[in-house]
Amino acid sequence: MVRSGAGRDARTLAPMVRGCNDMIDRQLLDELLAFRSERDWRQFHNPRTLAASISIEAAELLEHFQWAKDAELPDVVAKNREAIEHEIADVAMYLSLLCHDIGVSLEDAVGRKLALNRMKYPVDRARGRSTKHDRLD
């Protein structure tokens, strides 16, 4: 069962688990949750819709770089910095809401995944290579 903040007042929304949202600080998360609550948008948010929104916003971020050559990337960033920041913020906001709503600590999840990646990609076999872990021989 997915735990959610549905039905709780925005002022009392607290993380479901310790550190369930480490991407943004507590005050900003509270502001984000209040923003959602004030507009009655919680009804539209579930793990599927939030995950879809993350993917959509990430694709919008990618559009800024899609056809640029590597050498052009610094200029693309400089020219489109504000729009790129907006897309990054959209991804972060949806990810923060998802982590909050399902009680995931981003810090803990990243730590566990990093530990797993260290085992899958040992330095002596992966250094300087972009090869997938199951082909590192």
Side-chain angles (χ1 to χ4, degrees):
M1 173 187 275
V2 174
R3 296 182 297 179
S4 74
R8 292 192 295 164
D9 184 272
R11 293 179 304 273
T12 63
L13 285 173
M16 308 294 164
V17 294
R18 179 201 66 77
C20 78
N21 195 309
D22 311 295
M23 180 176 295
I24 59 178
D25 70 25
R26 182 72 231 184
Q27 180 180 347
L28 193 54
L29 176 61
D30 287 343
E31 289 181 40
L32 178 59
L33 293 168
F35 178 88
R36 175 172 74 171
S37 180
E38 291 161 357
R39 287 153 184 79
D40 193 25
W41 288 351
R42 178 68 182 86
Q43 64 180 316
F44 306 118
H45 292 173
N46 61 53
R48 177 185 45 79
T49 60
L50 291 171
S53 295
I54 292 166
S55 181
I56 292 163
E57 295 300 340
E60 290 177 11
L61 174 61
L62 180 58
E63 282 182 307
H64 291 283
F65 307 104
Q66 185 174 7
W67 303 114
K69 293 178 174 50
D70 288 352
E72 299 169 340
L73 292 175
D75 290 335
V76 169
V77 171
K79 179 181 174 189
N80 300 296
R81 184 167 209 73
E82 184 176 19
I84 290 168
E85 286 179 3
H86 289 174
E87 300 306 340
I88 290 170
D90 286 339
V91 171
M93 288 189 295
Y94 282 123
L95 184 57
S96 295
L97 290 169
L98 180 61
C99 288
H100 173 272
D101 290 358
I102 66 173
V104 168
S105 166
L106 185 60
E107 183 176 346
D108 292 347
V110 169
R112 286 190 299 274
K113 182 63 176 177
L114 184 57
L116 177 63
N117 283 350
R118 283 187 178 113
M119 291 188 305
K120 289 167 51 173
Y121 296 95
V123 173
D124 62 325
R125 292 182 23 223
R127 182 174 178 80
R129 299 175 67 191
S130 62
T131 308
K132 189 172 176 185
H133 67 90
D134 60 351
R135 296 186 178 135
L136 282 174
D137 290 320

